[in-house]
Amino acid sequence: MLPHTLIPPVILPATGPWFDIAGLAVFAASGALAAAKRDQTFVTVVFFALITGVGGGTVRDLLIGAPVFWIRDARAASVCLVMALLIWTTPGRLWREEALGWFDAVGLAAYAVYGAAKALGYGVPPVPAALMGVMTACVGGIIRDVLAGEPSILMRPELYVTAAALAAASYVGLVLLGVPNAWSAVIAASAGFTLRAAAIRYHLALPSYGGRR
């Protein structure tokens, strides 16, 4: 078991932190939009942005024994606040759900890989590490949907969690095979994004249990 003080491996090039912030911004925007479309107050819009943006990473860090990332790094909460303010001050017609869905697909794949990589860096075994990647990518959206009274992403037939699982599992598998971290991250994130993009474009879904009756 690796010590909990181990710094997570660098999984992306020097621009990696900026991709991380961009993904956080997309998820925060989706949370802010969920509140804004229900004519909520600015405080509620900010809360939805924050809980959606940092929810998955918070659960991951608590489970793997890492310092909660947004408490140590002010950029995360700042990005959520900026996105909430942006949503609040612009007309809703400027935010097309279809476009946001594509950005969300990028964030989903990147966060799944980053979550898995951070878990591995803190000594989590491969299978739980992959699951931590899925949680990083999906838990914030689940919390958002529950609070907004919408069907959870877990209950939607279109592939979503599966794409996150593919990205996280692919990264862990490639690392175990000895592929360099940066290449593992790019390949795994690309695989997750491709699956999610195909699901959006062609409405791909897994078979439901009801079909077995």
Side-chain angles (χ1 to χ4, degrees):
M1 179 70 70
L2 297 177
H4 289 307
T5 56
L6 179 65
I7 298 175
V10 178
I11 62 169
L12 294 173
T15 54
W18 296 106
F19 285 109
D20 184 32
I21 293 297
L24 176 65
V26 171
F27 287 132
S30 71
L33 280 171
K37 288 180 178 179
R38 288 162 177 76
D39 298 323
Q40 298 298 310
T41 66
F42 179 66
V43 172
T44 304
V45 171
V46 171
F47 177 79
F48 266 72
L50 182 64
I51 200 68
T52 306
V54 306
T58 299
V59 173
R60 174 205 62 219
D61 287 349
L62 291 174
L63 290 176
I64 68 176
V68 177
F69 74 102
W70 63 275
I71 295 177
R72 296 296 186 92
D73 187 350
R75 291 179 302 173
S78 299
V79 167
C80 293
L81 179 59
V82 168
M83 294 310 300
L85 183 62
L86 183 62
I87 296 295
W88 180 260
T89 56
T90 54
R93 64 177 182 274
L94 297 180
W95 299 93
R96 296 178 54 193
E97 290 192 17
E98 181 181 356
L100 194 60
W102 286 102
F103 284 114
D104 181 77
V106 176
L108 179 81
Y111 266 27
V113 170
Y114 181 80
K118 186 169 184 178
L120 286 177
Y122 276 83
V124 178
V127 173
L131 294 177
M132 290 300 101
V134 176
M135 294 186 68
T136 303
C138 299
V139 166
I142 294 171
I143 297 173
R144 175 200 62 213
D145 292 343
V146 170
L147 293 177
E150 293 184 355
S152 170
I153 55 176
L154 289 175
M155 305 301 291
R156 299 174 195 171
E158 191 176 279
L159 296 179
Y160 188 90
V161 178
T162 305
L166 175 63
S170 297
Y171 174 78
V172 172
L174 290 169
V175 168
L176 292 178
L177 291 174
V179 179
N181 285 333
W183 280 108
S184 296
V186 170
I187 294 170
S190 298
F193 172 77
T194 300
L195 180 58
R196 179 57 185 151
I200 294 173
R201 178 65 178 82
Y202 301 107
H203 304 287
L204 300 180
L206 294 175
S208 66
Y209 179 77
R212 299 178 181 276
R213 296 176 182 172

